[in-house]
Amino acid sequence: MLNLLLASTLPNWVTTLLPILRSVFVVLMLLASLIVIIICLATESNAESGSNVITGNSYESFYSQNKSSTREGRLKKLLIISSILTGVCSILYFVTLLIYPVI
């Protein structure tokens, strides 16, 4: 009932565009979440990082300062980007549901 009342107040382009946008957001969320899962499985565990947190030791070396150019650094950047993409797409998906709810 509420959907029929809202459909009469919203422009026609909104009622046709929002279901398409929802589908796009779902596909983007699916792809980004699969990328997150694959990256988490592909990264190697670092046994030294846990002991450094407890003891407070930090070893600053040239390798640790330029870690963004290594494979692990690139995977970490891709993980952050795909996690943010998943969050933003999920927020936008639910905003479109608030604007034009599904019957």
Side-chain angles (χ1 to χ4, degrees):
M1 183 70 179
L2 180 63
N3 193 18
L4 294 174
L5 292 174
L6 287 175
S8 64
T9 61
L10 292 174
N12 192 21
W13 66 272
V14 172
T15 58
T16 58
L17 182 66
L18 286 181
I20 296 169
L21 281 176
R22 280 190 207 125
S23 301
V24 169
F25 290 144
V26 167
V27 169
L28 285 175
M29 280 190 292
L30 179 69
L31 291 176
S33 61
L34 284 175
I35 290 172
V36 168
I37 291 169
I38 291 170
I39 290 174
C40 287
L41 291 174
T43 55
E44 298 174 3
S45 63
N46 189 359
E48 297 174 359
S49 64
S51 64
N52 288 340
V53 170
I54 295 171
T55 60
N57 293 336
S58 64
Y59 300 104
E60 293 293 327
S61 66
F62 182 74
Y63 176 73
S64 66
Q65 290 175 355
N66 292 325
K67 202 169 189 174
S68 63
S69 62
T70 62
R71 179 179 179 265
E72 290 85 17
R74 289 189 301 263
L75 284 177
K76 185 176 180 182
K77 284 181 186 177
L78 187 61
L79 178 70
I80 291 170
I81 290 169
S82 57
S83 299
I84 290 172
L85 180 67
T86 302
V88 168
C89 284
S90 64
I91 289 171
L92 290 174
Y93 175 79
F94 286 110
V95 166
T96 59
L97 278 178
L98 289 175
I99 293 172
Y100 184 68
V102 179
I103 296 175

